[in-house]
Amino acid sequence: MAHAPTVLIMGPPGAGKGTQAGHLVATYGLLHVATGDLLREAVAAGTLLGLEAKSFIDKGTLVPDDLIIGMIREVAAELPEGSGLLLDGFPRTRAQAIALDKMLGVLDRDVDVVLDIRVPHEVLIKRLSGRWICRTCQTPYNVDSRPPKVAGVCDLDGGELYQRSDDTAEAVGTRLEVYETQTAPVSGYYRDHGSLVTIDGDQPSDEVRAALDAAMQPVTAG
Ligand code: AMP
């Protein structure tokens, strides 16, 4: 591998980021930093950050930039040197993207590639309403398209499957709207910087994976 890459995975809720992030982490040895997972851990642990973030998460709106940027700053400070990084769910606003550039600059790193997964709105609604996630390893399942072998149990580690509190019809609608208005413009930011690769997420998971691998090729070659 040429150097420790910094990779972003973007896409609306339900685009398959969680599934594909697992593949990218396993294949390219990246450290996975998913802001949604970190926030849910903070809520479960009852930390100050968790208490401040909970109402935003439950409504499906964005947690304020300063809280998220502070959280990522702590991750960046503890990043092992030479470690490849996969940022998942961050940045979600232009202000977060600018803050990330500054943090990476201090570490003498750059965003190498932004994997932007696109999926039509109606497909997302269907995926999110049938989604169940493993409490232990976060693997997502879907009652229609990817059911577990045993209902309510993770195929991989036997963990309990649960439905996220923000996968309700109301919060899903808000999250998709927030994505369109606040996060989709971040793609434009990275397109201007030349690091954006658009991936069709409305195809079988293997094909999405192959498209992601192709996009990773220039980053990991050499
Ligand atoms: P996710 O698991 O990525 O869908 O994130 C779940 C929720 O966490 C989002 O709906 C937001 O409320 C919050 N969240 C996660 N990442 C961010 C971020 N980068 N900026 C603001 N809020 C975030």
Side-chain angles (χ1 to χ4, degrees), residues 124-133 141-146 163 167:
L124 295 171
I125 303 258
K126 198 154 181 246
R127 285 188 187 176
L128 290 166
S129 54
R131 179 158 83 166
W132 290 76
I133 300 169
Y141 294 84
N142 187 283
V143 284
D144 298 318
S145 56
R146 192 191 178 200
Q163 282 196 294
D167 277 348

Side-chain angles (χ1 to χ4, degrees), residues 83-123:
S83 173
L85 182 62
L86 177 66
L87 286 173
D88 170 354
F90 177 89
R92 261 172 151 105
T93 63
R94 208 183 144 79
Q96 291 179 15
I98 292 167
L100 175 64
D101 276 349
K102 285 200 191 127
M103 278 185 254
L104 291 176
V106 172
L107 299 173
D108 205 18
R109 301 175 75 126
D110 212 350
V111 173
D112 293 286
V113 65
V114 180
L115 306 165
D116 190 18
I117 306 182
R118 302 286 175 88
V119 176
H121 191 88
E122 59 285 0
V123 177

Side-chain angles (χ1 to χ4, degrees), residues 9-222:
I9 188 162
M10 289 186 60
K17 296 192 296 293
T19 305
Q20 299 300 341
H23 162 70
L24 294 169
V25 164
T27 308
Y28 303 105
L30 306 173
L31 182 77
H32 186 201
V33 176
T35 44
D37 290 346
L38 293 177
L39 289 169
R40 282 184 288 278
E41 280 167 25
V43 171
T47 65
L48 185 59
L49 170 66
L51 292 174
E52 287 177 311
K54 188 174 184 328
S55 64
F56 298 99
I57 297 173
D58 286 346
K59 274 185 294 198
T61 56
L62 292 184
V63 173
D65 282 337
D66 55 337
L67 291 182
I68 295 290
I69 291 167
M71 185 174 88
I72 290 289
R73 197 167 278 131
E74 282 178 29
V75 171
E78 290 180 4
L79 191 64
E81 205 176 314
S83 173
L85 182 62
L86 177 66
L87 286 173
D88 170 354
F90 177 89
R92 261 172 151 105
T93 63
R94 208 183 144 79
Q96 291 179 15
I98 292 167
L100 175 64
D101 276 349
K102 285 200 191 127
M103 278 185 254
L104 291 176
V106 172
L107 299 173
D108 205 18
R109 301 175 75 126
D110 212 350
V111 173
D112 293 286
V113 65
V114 180
L115 306 165
D116 190 18
I117 306 182
R118 302 286 175 88
V119 176
H121 191 88
E122 59 285 0
V123 177
L124 295 171
I125 303 258
K126 198 154 181 246
R127 285 188 187 176
L128 290 166
S129 54
R131 179 158 83 166
W132 290 76
I133 300 169
C134 174
R135 232 181 247 292
T136 314
C137 69
Q138 315 302 329
T139 297
Y141 294 84
N142 187 283
V143 284
D144 298 318
S145 56
R146 192 191 178 200
K149 292 194 185 100
V150 178
V153 180
C154 178
D155 293 351
L156 304 180
D157 60 15
E160 181 200 0
L161 304 185
Y162 78 105
Q163 282 196 294
R164 280 174 43 167
S165 61
D166 58 352
D167 277 348
T168 59
E170 200 183 346
V172 162
T174 307
R175 285 159 64 209
L176 291 174
E177 198 183 312
V178 164
Y179 183 82
E180 281 312 318
T181 54
Q182 297 185 65
T183 305
V186 178
S187 308
Y189 178 85
Y190 289 112
R191 189 174 302 111
D192 293 346
H193 288 67
S195 46
L196 190 82
V197 180
T198 303
I199 308 279
D200 175 7
D202 188 19
Q203 50 178 346
S205 183
D206 299 4
E207 286 168 38
V208 177
R209 185 185 305 172
L212 291 169
D213 285 335
M216 286 294 291
Q217 234 266 321
V219 177
T220 54

